Amino acid sequence: MQYISTRDSSRRYSAAQAIVQGLSRDGGLFLPETIPALTAEDLQSMVGMTYQQRAVKVMKAYLDEFTEEELAEYAAKAYAVPGKFDDAAVTPIHSTHHKTHFLELWHGPTCAFKDMALQMLPYLLTASLRKTGEEKTACILVATSGDTGKAALEGFRDVDGTRIMVFYPKDGVSEIQQLQMVTQEGSNVDVCAVVGNFDDAQTGVKTIFSDEALRAELAGRGYFLSSANSINWGRVLPQIVYYVATYAELVKRGDIQMGDQINFCVPTGNFGNILAGYYAKRMGVPIDKLLCASNANNVLTDFIRTGIYDRNRPFHTTISPSMDILISSNLERLLYLLSGSDAEVRGYMEQLNKTGRYEVSKDMLEKIQDNFLCGFCDDERTTNAIGKVFSHGKYLMDTHTAVAYTVMMDHRAATGDATPTVVVSTASPFKFCDSVLTALGVQDQRGGVEILDQLAEVSGKAAPAPLAGLKGKARRFAQVVEKQQMADVVREALV
Ligand SMILES: *Cc1c(COP(=O)(O)O)cnc(C)c1O
């Protein structure tokens, strides 16, 4: 299967090339030229499979140049239980009602859903480097709103032929998230705080990628830049797996019959997770609606309602920081999938660049609304939802999951929709102890990592081992820079 760019569909790339490059030189995102179909028999055959086997089946359909043996090896290592994930199902489903299911994507080494892709990406990337004959060291640059950075560091630490540098917004991540990053171990890792918000960090990384002079300079030193942000196709692909796998699992458990429609409700930031759900739907998984849930940064809610994407609005720092995003990069792939026109996508992206705003065609808006529903939820309602769901069924949600849950409940109340719905649970509540404790009515909170014990005591749940293990770890990284200095940080690190 060949890959193309959303901004120029005339050139073809192999999957390995797309994964190695990350972002196309024309500024567009890579995507497969066609979407492979899963027949009803394919889906049925997956009912009896493990998560790892389902991963091979889905990924193989997109990766001709990889053998099944290769992919099986990567899946076994990336989703090893125990070792990497702490639940035999890899992505366990917790049901609070026969039509309400929480898909827990946070049982990996960093306790957020980013592990689903970032445990797999290093295998895909290093194999792709071999397949394309690249001999330079890949320097992975990551801008993070908190979870990606740690997951990428953990995925790439000490992987031969790679360096990894993570930039996070200085005041935009939780204390636990920051601690997870600045204590990162490994000989090929760098972590740096940026003054500003996530968009500043992401814009800084994009600027570095488009700096041809810097690229040439680094090439002379034996490095090339690559991305582990969700703009890399190697990030999106492993995420398609859990949408397909969840359907097979719900059939296996008897919650649904093969062929029944289900909805997914996804807490959304960069639009990477929910885009993977849309791919699963296009492959043939019986998904009716994808609910796009936002926090107070509700640029996507407005977009799905009106067709107008407008990032000219105040940026809110919320208690669901991984969704504090005003430019949802992966939306560009959806625009291409729905229009099939690189010229149309180029036009929208040029407007976004110049004015921070674009309006899609009526035809495009209809197609979006056929597939996606949307809603948003502010911090107050997020907090209330965590308290309520815990007091009713002792189920403990993190802040991001609580945004999605609230949006799903709003949708049900407004429409009476009785379709079984999977709320995609993207982080362990222990990653956001302070907000979760506040939601449980605990005002007097302990500092530092002691707060993990406090949430464990109050909730009666154990903190995941990777977080409990933060106690006593040395802080290795303290650098803070302005966004204009990010290129210099890269220059200085790669000598
Ligand atoms: C990254 C992240 C999100 C948003 O996912 P996108 O793919 O960026 O839409 C939601 N919740 C958590 C906990 C995350 O880490």
Side-chain angles (χ1 to χ4, degrees):
M1 179 175 304
Q2 299 278 286
Y3 285 70
I4 51 176
S5 159
T6 49
R7 298 192 199 176
D8 176 5
S9 56
S10 66
R11 283 191 61 187
R12 301 282 177 279
Y13 303 81
S14 67
Q17 280 175 318
I19 291 168
V20 167
Q21 268 193 44
L23 188 68
S24 173
R25 291 291 146 76
D26 53 39
L29 308 187
F30 292 114
L31 78 190
E33 202 177 8
T34 54
I35 299 177
L38 278 175
T39 62
E41 294 81 65
D42 288 331
L43 211 47
Q44 186 62 48
S45 75
M46 293 171 77
V47 170
M49 291 184 186
T50 62
Y51 188 85
Q52 292 83 350
Q53 291 167 328
R54 291 168 181 163
V56 174
K57 176 98 181 158
V58 173
M59 294 196 347
K60 177 67 186 147
Y62 288 91
L63 302 172
D64 309 330
E65 314 128 82
F66 291 71
T67 64
E68 263 180 42
E69 292 69 37
E70 281 177 295
L71 294 175
E73 181 199 328
Y74 308 159
K77 288 182 178 163
Y79 306 122
V81 183
K84 297 289 187 183
F85 282 72
D86 69 5
D87 190 290
V90 182
T91 58
I93 299 169
H94 179 96
S95 304
T96 52
H97 172 265
H98 71 283
K99 286 187 173 177
T100 306
H101 311 284
F102 288 85
L103 173 63
E104 297 183 348
L105 300 179
W106 41 264
H107 288 268
T110 76
C111 309
F113 98 96
K114 305 293 195 292
D115 287 330
M116 298 311 302
L118 282 163
Q119 282 300 312
M120 178 57 75
L121 182 65
Y123 297 107
L124 295 177
L125 182 67
T126 48
S128 297
L129 289 171
R130 281 198 305 276
K131 288 177 199 289
T132 56
E134 179 61 66
E135 280 166 3
K136 291 195 277 299
T137 299
C139 176
I140 319 292
L141 290 188
V142 180
T144 183
S145 55
D147 293 328
T148 302
K150 178 62 185 180
L153 288 162
E154 206 45 58
F156 281 97
R157 68 187 267 191
D158 297 325
V159 172
D160 285 344
T162 71
R163 280 289 302 251
I164 171 154
M165 303 188 69
V166 169
F167 294 94
Y168 69 92
K170 183 173 167 290
D171 300 313
V173 302
S174 81
E175 199 175 339
I176 295 288
Q177 287 177 314
Q178 186 185 26
L179 205 58
Q180 281 185 296
M181 288 189 278
V182 301
T183 58
Q184 177 64 43
E185 292 164 1
S187 57
N188 62 339
V189 303
D190 271 292
V191 176
C192 180
V194 180
V195 178
N197 60 37
F198 170 69
D199 284 323
D200 293 318
Q202 176 159 264
T203 305
V205 165
K206 282 188 181 168
T207 306
I208 294 172
F209 272 111
S210 58
D211 185 340
E212 291 297 340
L214 178 61
R215 278 176 177 278
E217 188 186 329
L218 296 177
R221 300 189 212 162
Y223 291 100
F224 78 96
L225 300 177
S226 186
S227 164
N229 271 109
S230 61
I231 49 179
N232 192 310
W233 177 253
R235 281 282 301 279
V236 178
L237 177 55
Q239 296 178 172
I240 301 173
V241 173
Y242 51 76
Y243 287 93
V244 182
T246 297
Y247 192 87
E249 192 65 25
L250 288 174
V251 171
K252 182 178 171 187
R253 297 186 352 168
D255 290 310
I256 56 171
Q257 306 265 308
M258 182 60 76
D260 287 354
Q261 296 278 319
I262 63 171
N263 293 337
F264 281 93
C265 185
V266 188
T268 298
N270 227 349
F271 210 77
N273 194 349
I274 196 168
L275 179 82
Y278 180 66
Y279 267 96
K281 178 174 159 103
R282 288 278 294 258
M283 289 178 82
V285 179
I287 297 169
D288 184 19
K289 297 290 190 211
L290 293 153
L291 269 96
C292 175
S294 301
N295 63 23
N297 295 295
N298 57 359
V299 62
L300 286 168
T301 314
D302 289 345
F303 174 65
I304 293 169
R305 282 202 183 129
T306 65
I308 297 171
Y309 194 97
D310 191 351
R311 65 150 304 181
N312 304 300
R313 60 178 71 212
F315 177 88
H316 301 285
T317 299
T318 73
I319 58 172
S320 43
S322 299
M323 300 157 71
D324 290 348
I325 288 175
L326 292 180
I327 302 181
S328 296
S329 304
N330 265 299
L331 193 57
E332 182 168 344
R333 286 195 170 102
L334 180 70
L335 299 179
Y336 185 87
L337 286 173
L338 295 178
S339 69
S341 162
D342 53 358
E344 190 171 335
V345 174
R346 254 190 338 262
Y348 296 142
M349 292 303 126
E350 271 163 27
Q351 286 176 47
L352 181 66
N353 238 335
K354 276 197 207 112
T355 66
R357 181 184 187 279
Y358 60 88
E359 179 167 6
V360 297
S361 68
K362 241 184 114 195
D363 179 50
M364 171 92 80
L365 181 59
E366 274 172 22
K367 286 183 188 159
I368 291 171
Q369 292 176 344
D370 280 344
N371 293 285
F372 293 89
L373 300 168
C374 59
F376 75 99
C377 165
D378 63 14
D379 282 355
E380 192 184 337
R381 297 184 69 222
T382 305
T383 303
N384 290 342
I386 294 171
K388 208 162 143 187
V389 170
F390 184 73
S391 67
H392 285 180
K394 295 284 173 245
Y395 188 63
L396 192 62
M397 301 186 291
D398 95 292
T399 48
H400 304 77
T401 307
V403 167
Y405 174 80
T406 306
V407 167
M408 176 195 69
M409 294 303 275
D410 287 350
H411 165 67
R412 283 185 176 165
T415 64
D417 187 349
T419 311
T421 300
V422 178
V423 176
V424 178
S425 177
T426 49
S428 160
F430 285 88
K431 269 199 120 161
F432 303 95
C433 291
D434 47 351
S435 304
V436 173
L437 277 168
T438 302
L440 300 184
V442 180
Q443 257 122 45
D444 195 9
Q445 299 181 5
R446 297 177 204 159
V449 285
E450 301 305 319
I451 200 167
L452 291 164
D453 294 333
Q454 191 175 16
L455 182 56
E457 286 160 24
V458 170
S459 67
K461 319 260 175 209
L467 297 181
L470 284 172
K471 278 186 189 169
K473 274 207 171 164
R475 292 173 181 256
R476 297 183 62 204
F477 303 99
Q479 192 175 17
V480 183
V481 300
E482 299 289 334
K483 70 174 169 190
Q484 297 79 4
Q485 299 172 284
M486 287 168 60
D488 293 331
V489 174
V490 174
R491 236 182 231 109
E492 282 158 26
L494 303 183
V495 284

